[in-house]
């Protein structure tokens, strides 16, 4: 029997993000099993917000991506990063959808996911991706109230599960972040290096740039999840061989990684990106 499943992300659907990549991979697989899957999300794309309003007005939510409001910065130190209008739209979507399962991703942030699990009148699940996103709610009493509303706890790695247990005690099921093998598949390799860079990895970038002097004809691709406070310094003689990609989407990552001969992960990088490579 097919179920009505709601997947809720706290991150803007209009920008690439590892959590959204995970949801975008989970949803079609659930549909292939006969379930109806709705994704509720924030977005900064005007057409997403317009389509979301129309879906809510018609009550046509099943098998749709529904933007319930604009995306605001979500950070560990922020207050509840959900406007009143988005909260109202979220509640309306949960009522219209009559979901059997509501699955919130990274509910340890002040976000749509946290609110959805509290408002859901259905079976619920929560998936955690990062120890750095386990800071909300700040009070133990409120965490216990949230935990009482969650029927299944999941984490993408043993490290994340251990950190999540300290904040939200329970039995965690480990679920890999996963990769689409039809998209990320090996091809003939180019003379290219792809390096993942985080905020503390500028020395790595400088070392790799200098390495190009000893590798004639090779190119270096620096993959950044976010801004590093400025581009790494690249000598003029090497500027046509060093390329910076900020928040590349899945298609762009697949096109690059499939032909890259060497991949250099960041010290505390994305497990998904390493698995894709």
């Amino acid at each position: 029997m097919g179920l009505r499943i709601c997947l809720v992300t706290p991150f803007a659907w209009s920008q690439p993000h590892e959590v959204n990549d995970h949801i975008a991979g989970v949803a079609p697989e659930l549909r292939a099993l006969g379930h109806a899957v709705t994704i509720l999300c924030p977005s900064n794309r005007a057409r997403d917000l317009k389509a979301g309003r129309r879906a809510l007005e018609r009550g046509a939510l099943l098998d749709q991506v529904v933007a319930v409001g604009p995306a605001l910065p979500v950070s560990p130190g922020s207050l509840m990063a959900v406007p009143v209008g988005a909260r109202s739209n979220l509640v309306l979507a949960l009522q219209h959808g009559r979901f059997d399962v509501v699955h919130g991703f990274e509910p340890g942030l002040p976000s749509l996911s946290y609110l959805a699990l509290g408002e859901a009148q259905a079976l619920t699940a929560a998936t955690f991706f990062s120890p750095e996103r386990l800071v909300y709610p700040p009070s133990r009493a409120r965490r216990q109230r949230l935990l009482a509303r969650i029927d299944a706890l999941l984490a993408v790695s043993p490290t994340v599960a251990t950190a999540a247990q300290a904040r939200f005690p329970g039995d965690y099921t480990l679920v890999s972040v996963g990769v689409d093998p039809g998209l990320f598949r090996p091809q003939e390799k180019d003379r290219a290096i792809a390096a993942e860079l985080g905020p503390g990895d500028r020395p790595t970038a400088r070392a790799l740039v200098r390495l190009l002097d000893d590798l004639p004809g090779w190119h270096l691709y620096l993959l950044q999840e976010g801004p590093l406070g400025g581009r790494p310094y690249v000598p003029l003689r090497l500027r046509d061989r060093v390329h910076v990609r900020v928040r590349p989407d899945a298609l762009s990552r697949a096109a690059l990684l499939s032909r890259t001969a060497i991949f250099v992960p960041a010290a505390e990088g994305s497990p998904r990106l390493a698995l894709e490579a």
Side-chain angles (χ1 to χ4, degrees):
M1 180 181 69
L3 300 175
R4 294 171 175 244
I5 300 176
C6 177
L7 308 178
V8 189
T9 175
F11 301 106
W13 200 254
S14 50
Q15 294 184 346
H17 193 280
E18 63 172 352
V19 174
N20 292 347
D21 287 343
H22 185 89
I23 294 172
V26 167
E29 297 302 322
L30 289 172
R31 290 177 183 132
L33 294 174
H35 305 301
V37 181
T38 298
I39 298 171
L40 300 183
C41 60
S43 180
N44 284 326
R45 194 181 288 131
R47 65 175 179 270
D48 290 348
L49 295 171
K50 184 177 180 180
R53 287 194 298 270
R54 288 180 176 175
L56 288 169
E57 290 169 359
R58 298 193 307 266
L61 304 179
L62 297 185
D63 287 327
Q64 301 290 326
V65 176
V66 181
V68 297
L72 296 177
V74 178
S75 66
S78 67
L79 298 174
M80 179 60 71
V82 180
V84 173
R87 293 191 194 194
S88 299
N89 288 342
L90 173 66
V91 173
L92 186 62
L94 293 175
Q95 291 173 348
H96 283 334
R98 294 182 288 113
F99 299 109
D100 301 300
V101 179
V102 174
H103 192 150
F105 292 80
E106 293 288 45
L109 290 173
S111 63
L112 285 177
S113 298
Y114 171 84
L115 291 175
L117 292 174
E119 295 287 346
Q121 301 298 314
L123 291 174
T124 58
T127 294
F128 298 91
F129 282 76
S130 170
E132 283 71 41
R133 303 184 195 129
L134 290 163
V135 296
Y136 198 87
S139 74
R140 181 177 180 182
R142 292 179 65 185
R143 291 198 302 273
Q144 289 177 334
R145 286 199 295 271
L146 175 63
L147 191 58
R149 303 298 301 272
I150 300 174
D151 297 297
L153 296 165
L154 302 95
V156 300
S157 72
T159 300
V160 174
T162 299
Q165 282 178 328
R167 299 282 290 177
F168 302 99
D171 295 325
Y172 283 76
T173 299
L174 296 181
V175 178
S176 170
V177 291
V179 164
D180 180 356
L183 183 62
F184 290 90
R185 60 186 187 275
Q187 298 182 28
E188 183 179 350
K189 301 301 182 182
D190 295 330
R191 290 188 290 179
I193 303 169
E196 178 189 17
L197 296 184
D201 293 316
R202 292 181 68 86
T204 301
R206 290 195 294 269
L208 290 171
V209 169
R210 290 195 298 268
L211 183 63
L212 290 182
D213 281 325
D214 299 323
L215 296 172
W218 283 68
H219 287 251
L220 173 64
Y221 294 85
L222 302 175
L223 309 181
Q224 300 177 200
E225 176 62 26
L228 296 179
R231 292 170 62 96
Y233 171 73
V234 179
L236 182 62
R237 68 183 181 279
L238 298 174
R239 287 185 183 175
D240 62 339
R241 296 165 57 197
V242 178
H243 318 276
V244 178
R245 300 288 186 266
V246 180
R247 289 181 177 167
D249 59 22
L251 289 175
S252 300
R253 295 196 306 274
L256 173 61
L257 293 173
S258 64
R259 303 187 66 86
T260 295
I262 299 171
F263 174 70
V264 182
E268 297 182 2
S270 165
R272 174 178 294 278
L273 184 61
L275 191 56
E276 290 171 348

